[in-house]
Amino acid sequence: MLIQEEIEFLDSYGYLNLGQLLTLEQVTQINNRLAQLLESEGENAGHELAQSKYIRHPKEEGADRLADLVNKGPIFDIFYTHPRVLAGIEAVLGQHYKLSSLNYRAAKPGKGHQKLHVDWKNTVVDGAYQVCNSIWLLDDFTQSNGSTRIVPKTHKLNRLPDQAMADPNAKHPDEIRIIGPAGSVFIFNSHVWHGVPPT
Ligand SMILES: O=C(O)CCC(=O)C(=O)O
């Protein structure tokens, strides 16, 4: 489901653009369901994140969040069953892995800034990666609308942004943005430095 060049790119750079895996009709249906959930969950939206044993996210003023989407409708099944996504995850983690969580995050205009970070508590040695993300673009990600930033190749550095940078909130000279039309999907190794730029 991934060609050799894609596997090699993911290994070298720490991310991979899988292309548009959702039609615009699917994107609209998914966004409609997310809007319903945001409305019905109100102040409680995303509360499961605070309960998770693995990821503890405080409530964020600058971003809308929903969590536990695995249990909130079959429309979300594609996010963790698409064969190209599973092939990307397997390329990073090997054959034995499990789903940790399926969440929604939408930075509000001008907000949602995150310092460069990784989604694991420490560095890993010899490519023994512990976590891998897929990120599904539910609107167009552009250079200027709060798209995710990543610093390619940093998953192999054996240093965390907090250790290596004077200010992990600052722009990194090698950072790139994940950009693409709605419906696009990226895999990124969660040990690659990533975050959301100041806007
Ligand atoms: O929303 C994004 O673009 C990145 C989110 C992220 O890295 C996180 O919540 O750990």
Coordinates of all heavy atoms in Angstrom, one line a residue, residues 55 57 60 63 65 104-107 112 114-115 117-119 133 135 141 146-149 178 188 194-197, ligand 1:
I55 N -2.1 10.4 27.2 CA -1.9 11.8 26.8 C -2.8 12.7 27.6 O -4.0 12.5 27.7 CB -2.3 12.1 25.3 CG1 -3.5 11.2 24.9 CG2 -1.1 11.9 24.4 CD1 -4.1 11.7 23.6
H57 N -4.0 16.3 28.0 CA -4.0 17.6 27.4 C -4.9 18.5 28.2 O -6.1 18.2 28.4 CB -4.6 17.6 26.0 CG -3.6 17.3 24.9 ND1 -2.6 18.2 24.6 CD2 -3.4 16.3 24.1 CE1 -1.8 17.7 23.7 NE2 -2.3 16.6 23.3
E60 N -7.7 23.7 26.1 CA -7.0 24.8 25.4 C -7.9 25.9 25.0 O -8.9 25.7 24.4 CB -6.4 24.2 24.1 CG -5.0 23.8 24.1 CD -4.6 23.4 22.7 OE1 -4.9 22.2 22.2 OE2 -4.0 24.2 22.0
A63 N -8.0 26.6 21.0 CA -8.3 25.5 20.0 C -9.6 24.8 20.4 O -9.8 24.5 21.6 CB -7.2 24.6 19.8
R65 N -11.4 21.3 20.6 CA -11.0 19.9 20.7 C -12.2 19.0 20.9 O -13.1 19.3 21.6 CB -10.0 19.7 21.8 CG -8.5 20.1 21.5 CD -7.6 19.5 22.6 NE -6.2 19.8 22.4 CZ -5.4 19.1 21.7 NH1 -5.7 17.9 21.1 NH2 -4.1 19.4 21.6
Y104 N -9.8 15.5 17.6 CA -10.0 16.6 16.7 C -9.4 17.8 17.3 O -9.7 18.1 18.5 CB -11.5 16.8 16.4 CG -11.9 18.1 15.8 CD1 -11.8 18.3 14.4 CD2 -12.5 19.1 16.5 CE1 -12.2 19.4 13.8 CE2 -12.9 20.3 15.9 CZ -12.8 20.5 14.6 OH -13.2 21.6 14.0
R105 N -8.7 18.6 16.5 CA -8.1 19.8 17.1 C -8.2 20.9 16.0 O -7.7 20.7 14.9 CB -6.7 19.7 17.5 CG -6.1 21.0 18.1 CD -4.7 20.8 18.6 NE -4.2 22.0 19.3 CZ -3.6 23.0 18.7 NH1 -3.4 23.0 17.4 NH2 -3.2 24.0 19.4
A106 N -8.8 22.0 16.3 CA -8.9 23.1 15.3 C -8.5 24.4 16.0 O -9.2 24.9 16.9 CB -10.3 23.2 14.7
A107 N -7.3 24.9 15.6 CA -6.8 26.2 16.2 C -7.8 27.3 15.7 O -8.2 27.4 14.6 CB -5.4 26.5 15.7
G112 N -3.9 29.0 19.1 CA -3.6 27.6 19.0 C -2.1 27.3 18.9 O -1.7 26.2 18.6
Q114 N 1.5 26.2 19.5 CA 2.2 25.2 20.4 C 3.7 25.2 20.1 O 4.1 25.3 18.9 CB 1.7 23.8 20.0 CG 0.3 23.4 20.5 CD 0.0 21.9 20.1 OE1 0.6 21.4 19.2 NE2 -0.9 21.4 20.8
K115 N 4.4 25.1 21.2 CA 5.9 25.1 21.0 C 6.3 23.8 20.3 O 5.5 22.8 20.2 CB 6.6 25.1 22.3 CG 6.4 23.9 23.2 CD 7.2 24.1 24.5 CE 7.1 22.8 25.3 NZ 8.0 22.9 26.5
H117 N 7.5 20.2 19.9 CA 7.5 19.1 20.9 C 7.5 17.8 20.2 O 7.4 17.8 19.0 CB 6.3 19.3 21.9 CG 5.0 19.1 21.1 ND1 4.4 20.2 20.4 CD2 4.2 18.1 21.0 CE1 3.3 19.8 19.9 NE2 3.1 18.5 20.2
V118 N 7.6 16.7 20.9 CA 7.4 15.4 20.4 C 6.3 14.8 21.3 O 6.0 15.3 22.4 CB 8.7 14.5 20.4 CG1 9.8 15.1 19.6 CG2 9.1 14.2 21.8
D119 N 5.7 13.7 20.8 CA 4.6 13.1 21.5 C 5.0 11.9 22.3 O 4.3 10.9 22.5 CB 3.4 12.7 20.6 CG 2.8 14.0 19.9 OD1 2.9 15.0 20.5 OD2 2.3 13.8 18.8
N133 N 1.7 9.4 14.3 CA 0.4 10.2 14.0 C 0.0 10.1 12.6 O 0.8 10.1 11.7 CB 0.6 11.7 14.4 CG 0.7 11.9 15.9 OD1 0.3 11.1 16.7 ND2 1.3 13.0 16.2
I135 N -2.4 12.8 10.4 CA -3.1 14.1 10.5 C -4.0 14.2 9.3 O -3.5 14.1 8.1 CB -2.1 15.2 10.8 CG1 -2.9 16.5 10.9 CG2 -1.0 15.3 9.8 CD1 -2.0 17.6 11.5
F141 N -5.1 23.4 4.3 CA -4.0 23.9 5.2 C -3.1 24.8 4.3 O -2.6 24.3 3.3 CB -3.2 22.8 5.8 CG -3.7 22.2 7.0 CD1 -5.1 22.1 7.3 CD2 -2.8 21.6 8.0 CE1 -5.6 21.5 8.5 CE2 -3.3 21.1 9.2 CZ -4.7 21.0 9.4
G146 N -2.3 28.7 10.2 CA -2.1 28.0 11.4 C -1.9 26.5 11.2 O -2.0 25.6 12.1
S147 N -1.4 26.2 10.0 CA -1.0 24.8 9.7 C 0.1 24.3 10.6 O 0.9 25.0 11.0 CB -0.6 24.7 8.2 OG 0.4 25.6 7.9
T148 N 0.1 23.0 10.8 CA 1.1 22.3 11.6 C 2.5 22.6 11.1 O 2.7 22.5 9.8 CB 0.8 20.8 11.7 OG1 -0.6 20.6 11.9 CG2 1.6 20.1 12.8
R149 N 3.5 22.8 11.9 CA 4.9 22.9 11.5 C 5.6 21.7 12.0 O 5.3 21.1 13.0 CB 5.5 24.2 12.0 CG 5.6 24.2 13.5 CD 6.3 25.5 14.0 NE 6.2 25.7 15.4 CZ 7.1 26.3 16.2 NH1 8.1 26.8 15.6 NH2 6.9 26.4 17.5
I178 N 2.9 21.7 7.1 CA 2.1 20.7 6.5 C 1.0 21.4 5.7 O 0.1 22.0 6.3 CB 1.5 19.7 7.5 CG1 2.7 18.8 8.0 CG2 0.3 19.0 7.1 CD1 2.3 17.7 8.9
F188 N 3.0 11.4 10.2 CA 4.3 11.8 10.7 C 4.7 11.1 12.0 O 3.9 10.7 12.8 CB 4.4 13.3 10.9 CG 3.6 14.0 12.0 CD1 4.1 14.2 13.2 CD2 2.4 14.5 11.7 CE1 3.4 14.8 14.2 CE2 1.6 15.2 12.7 CZ 2.2 15.3 13.9
H194 N 7.4 18.9 16.2 CA 6.3 19.5 15.6 C 5.5 20.4 16.5 O 5.8 20.4 17.7 CB 5.4 18.4 15.0 CG 4.8 17.5 16.1 ND1 5.4 16.4 16.6 CD2 3.6 17.6 16.7 CE1 4.7 15.8 17.5 NE2 3.5 16.5 17.6
G195 N 4.7 21.2 16.0 CA 3.9 22.1 16.8 C 3.1 23.0 15.9 O 2.8 22.7 14.7
V196 N 2.6 24.1 16.5 CA 1.8 25.0 15.7 C 2.5 26.4 15.8 O 2.8 26.9 16.9 CB 0.3 25.1 16.2 CG1 -0.5 26.0 15.3 CG2 -0.3 23.7 16.1
P197 N 2.8 27.1 14.7 CA 3.5 28.3 14.7 C 2.7 29.4 15.3 O 1.5 29.4 15.3 CB 3.8 28.6 13.2 CG 2.8 27.9 12.5 CD 2.4 26.7 13.3
Ligands
LIG1 O1 -3.0 20.8 15.8 C1 -1.9 20.6 15.3 O2 -1.6 21.1 14.2 C2 -0.8 19.8 16.1 C3 -1.3 19.3 17.4 C4 -0.3 18.7 18.2 O3 0.9 18.5 17.9 C5 -0.6 18.2 19.6 O4 -1.7 18.5 20.1 O5 0.3 17.6 20.2

